[in-house]
Amino acid sequence: MALTALLSVSDKTGIVEFASALHQLGVRLLSTGGTAKLLADSGLPVTEVAEVTQFPEMLDGRVKTLHPKVHGGLLARRDLPAHMAALKEHGIATIDLLVVNLYPFEATVAKPGCTLADAIENIDIGGPAMVRSAAKNWKDVGVLTSADQYEAVLAELKAQGKLSDKLRFALSVAAFNRIAQYDGAISDYLSSVNFEAEKLSETYVPERSQFPGQSNGHFIKVQDLRYGENSHQSAAWYRDLHPAPGSLALGVQLQGKELSYNNIADADAAWECVKSFKLPACVIVKHANPCGVAVGASALEAYGKAFQTDPTSAFGGIIALNRTVDGAAAQKISQQFVEVLMAPDFTPEALEVFKAKANVRLMKIALPAGGDTPWKQGRNAIDAKRVGSGLLLQTADNHELQLPDVKVVTIKQPTQEEIQDLLFAWKVAKYVKSNAIVFCKGGMTMGVGAGQMSRLDSARIASIKAQAAGLSLQNTVVASDAFFPFRDGLDVVVDAGATCVAQPGGSMRDQEVIDAANERGVAMVFTGVRHFRH
């Protein structure tokens, strides 16, 4: 008996070619509305669903496939005589393939100025219903919800005249995933709408909350991991349904051992930091904190300067560069033990160098093109943190300090060189765990104090790190991710050698700290923005 396929698609990419191939394989074609017209105009023999159901499309196409002759044909189990007898009694033919993609709800609501009426009209009803029916009956029906599935289906039909259980099940899983994504998008949109009945009209564009009444995140598994943060924990890595260009999730591993949970967490910290620099830059991360950051004329120079900050911590670290790694940079980096090396690209010479270091994980990640949205910049728009039986959501800290934002609050004015180093130090401090104190000079970190309960301790640790690395903190600048609540923190960094300090300001004792800076003869600027990172 010839197979029957029902095709009803919103996105018609490749549908004519797919339907033509099905026809050549002897598959009977059923279709609806615009899809049926397109296939008929292309010279394919197609039967309208309305002809099968003996019921016309109605309500502007809202009702066309919600009929027993459609759902009976999809849901009937071929291995149950009672089901097949019921089909025969009611004159219902089986449907073996269903090809459906849904109304473009996500694309519609993503458009600026989308009206509530347009959003509602693009909620598909018949499509998801058919997909669920076919996916439930996966043993007998193959359901296709994306054009990228056409090739695999045709290959099996041509080879064996039917679909394997394995492929039908995979198609069913993909179908239910798609329905979950679709319904989640509808829920996200509708529960974000600040509904105002008095404004209701066909042209009503509702205001929307950034945080919907229900959050329906959708993530796709990239890979299972050997273990989590510790060996007794299990883990897996998931990516966004639609990853931003230039984000870690789109990286390609060129060589090396499988990435671990901690590798991925540290790699993300390094990559997010390094791609924020326009000059050639290198970031070395250890345990989620930058332990060395620098800019230079080349990848080689940037790496050399970053490594100087803390060679001890750099051992077994994660390295990210925002320029192509060439042979010279590869030779230098290969002299240290590195877990992961990330860059936009690697020259053939660099790849050849690392062949001798087979365990080093090389990750190639394209830099984002940039733009006016976090997505275009390759960044998350929303950050999440799991808490007991709950989830904290916040807009991501994507603030970039600009020179006009800097307010000098002391008698002494910073030099142009100090201003540039302050902007650099402030950018680094944003990626250091709070409490963060970062000493910088000449486009490189000179000492980093991170993650302490006391800002004083972070300042002291930064000084100790610099001393251990043989670096002088004389005439350095310092960035503090939050305000100095007392003058003691300022005194510690000035005693270490700092001549210029950046902090957000906003403390009840700001004037006390400003007076201390004037007393010590150093420059201080307020940024007006705090960068806690927990």
Side-chain angles (χ1 to χ4, degrees):
M1 182 184 297
L3 300 177
T4 297
L6 170 53
L7 304 90
S8 180
V9 294
S10 174
D11 177 3
K12 295 177 173 57
T13 302
I15 193 63
V16 172
E17 294 80 3
F18 181 64
S20 177
L22 291 178
H23 172 60
Q24 291 172 22
L25 291 169
V27 178
R28 177 185 176 225
L29 305 179
L30 304 179
S31 193
T32 62
T35 307
K37 183 178 185 306
L38 176 63
L39 298 183
D41 289 348
S42 301
L44 292 169
V46 58
T47 302
E48 286 260 14
V49 165
E51 185 179 332
V52 173
T53 62
Q54 292 298 295
F55 203 93
E57 291 188 16
M58 60 184 297
L59 308 181
D60 298 319
R62 285 188 171 197
V63 177
K64 51 192 173 188
T65 58
L66 297 170
H67 194 281
K69 287 201 172 182
V70 173
H71 287 272
L74 292 170
L75 281 165
R77 286 180 53 179
R78 280 50 158 180
D79 62 334
L80 293 181
H83 280 204
M84 301 311 291
L87 292 191
K88 184 176 181 181
E89 178 183 353
H90 296 286
I92 299 175
T94 56
I95 299 172
D96 309 289
L97 287 175
L98 177 71
V99 186
V100 170
N101 54 55
L102 310 176
Y103 291 176
F105 179 85
E106 296 100 326
T108 299
V109 299
K111 294 175 184 174
C114 172
T115 65
L116 181 61
D118 279 343
I120 297 297
E121 198 57 35
N122 276 278
I123 297 175
D124 203 335
I125 304 300
M130 287 193 294
V131 168
R132 289 178 66 88
S133 291
K136 177 175 180 174
N137 199 25
W138 66 270
K139 287 186 177 180
D140 296 310
V141 182
V143 53
L144 292 79
T145 49
S146 174
D148 60 14
Q149 297 167 333
Y150 296 169
E151 184 178 350
V153 167
L154 287 176
E156 285 204 0
L157 289 177
K158 289 175 181 177
Q160 54 202 40
K162 63 178 183 178
L163 301 185
S164 64
D165 285 351
K166 183 176 181 179
L167 180 55
R168 272 187 272 103
F169 184 74
L171 292 171
S172 172
V173 171
F176 280 119
N177 287 345
R178 176 64 188 124
I179 296 300
Q181 295 157 7
Y182 193 73
D183 286 344
I186 295 168
S187 169
D188 282 341
Y189 172 82
L190 293 177
S191 62
S192 74
V193 167
N194 298 317
F195 186 77
E196 298 175 89
E198 64 274 13
K199 295 184 179 180
L200 196 59
S201 71
E202 287 297 306
T203 59
Y204 170 47
V205 179
E207 290 187 6
R208 296 175 58 190
S209 169
Q210 276 188 298
F211 302 101
Q214 179 167 310
S215 178
N216 301 279
H218 294 287
F219 301 90
I220 295 172
K221 187 160 71 174
V222 176
Q223 66 189 77
D224 288 307
L225 303 174
R226 287 175 294 157
Y227 51 83
E229 244 174 334
N230 301 290
S231 59
H232 62 279
Q233 296 170 268
S234 54
W237 182 17
Y238 289 78
R239 66 163 174 80
D240 281 332
L241 185 61
H242 302 293
S247 58
L248 181 68
L250 292 178
V252 177
Q253 186 170 348
L254 302 180
Q255 76 160 52
K257 297 186 295 185
E258 181 182 295
L259 290 165
S260 72
Y261 180 99
N262 293 329
N263 288 157
I264 294 165
D266 286 350
D268 183 63
W271 187 246
E272 289 300 302
C273 184
V274 82
K275 72 184 180 186
S276 67
F277 293 98
K278 292 182 172 60
L279 293 173
C282 176
V283 176
I284 306 175
V285 163
K286 192 69 171 290
H287 296 305
N289 274 304
C291 60
V293 182
V295 293
S298 64
L300 174 61
E301 182 182 348
Y303 165 73
K305 291 167 69 177
F307 184 74
Q308 286 181 61
T309 303
D310 189 352
T312 301
S313 296
F315 181 84
I318 308 291
I319 301 176
L321 294 122
N322 64 356
R323 293 293 190 275
T324 295
V325 175
D326 59 16
Q331 287 284 1
K332 188 71 173 175
I333 295 170
S334 69
Q335 293 173 20
Q336 78 162 99
F337 171 44
V338 55
E339 289 277 3
V340 182
L341 174 61
M342 295 172 288
D345 208 350
F346 297 82
T347 65
E349 293 79 10
L351 293 175
E352 190 63 32
V353 168
F354 281 105
K355 276 186 180 178
K357 302 269 188 176
N359 286 335
V360 175
R361 303 162 178 91
L362 299 185
M363 292 285 292
K364 177 179 175 179
I365 312 175
L367 288 167
D372 57 356
T373 65
W375 197 86
K376 291 177 182 177
Q377 296 164 11
R379 301 188 183 281
N380 296 329
I382 299 291
D383 277 346
K385 181 174 289 187
R386 198 80 165 93
V387 295
S389 296
L391 189 70
L392 290 173
L393 297 178
Q394 65 174 350
T395 55
D397 185 1
N398 292 324
H399 181 271
E400 294 288 340
L401 184 67
Q402 304 298 322
L403 189 56
D405 302 329
V406 174
K407 179 184 177 184
V408 181
V409 295
T410 50
I411 296 169
K412 183 179 180 182
Q413 301 287 305
T415 66
Q416 284 302 307
E417 184 180 359
E418 286 175 329
I419 285 288
Q420 291 307 308
D421 275 336
L422 279 179
L423 292 174
F424 172 83
W426 191 253
K427 190 167 288 189
V428 175
K430 175 179 167 183
Y431 295 97
V432 176
K433 299 287 187 180
S434 190
N435 287 310
I437 294 289
V438 180
F439 287 83
C440 294
K441 185 179 180 181
M444 68 175 279
T445 50
M446 306 294 284
V448 178
Q452 298 304 303
M453 292 73 77
S454 161
R455 194 161 299 277
L456 278 172
D457 287 340
S458 286
R460 291 170 182 141
I461 287 171
S463 299
I464 293 169
K465 289 279 191 182
Q467 184 178 14
L471 298 174
S472 170
L473 295 182
Q474 293 303 307
N475 301 314
T476 53
V477 304
V478 166
S480 172
D481 67 336
F483 60 66
F484 289 103
F486 304 98
R487 68 167 291 166
D488 54 0
L490 176 73
D491 285 327
V492 169
V493 300
V494 174
D495 287 345
T499 58
C500 190
V501 178
Q503 61 143 317
S507 168
M508 291 176 61
R509 294 183 175 83
D510 273 350
Q511 192 58 51
E512 176 187 322
V513 178
I514 293 170
D515 291 343
N518 285 326
E519 176 190 320
R520 301 297 302 270
V522 299
M524 179 180 287
V525 304
F526 281 5
T527 64
V529 177
R530 186 183 74 187
H531 284 304
F532 275 167
R533 187 176 179 87
H534 290 107

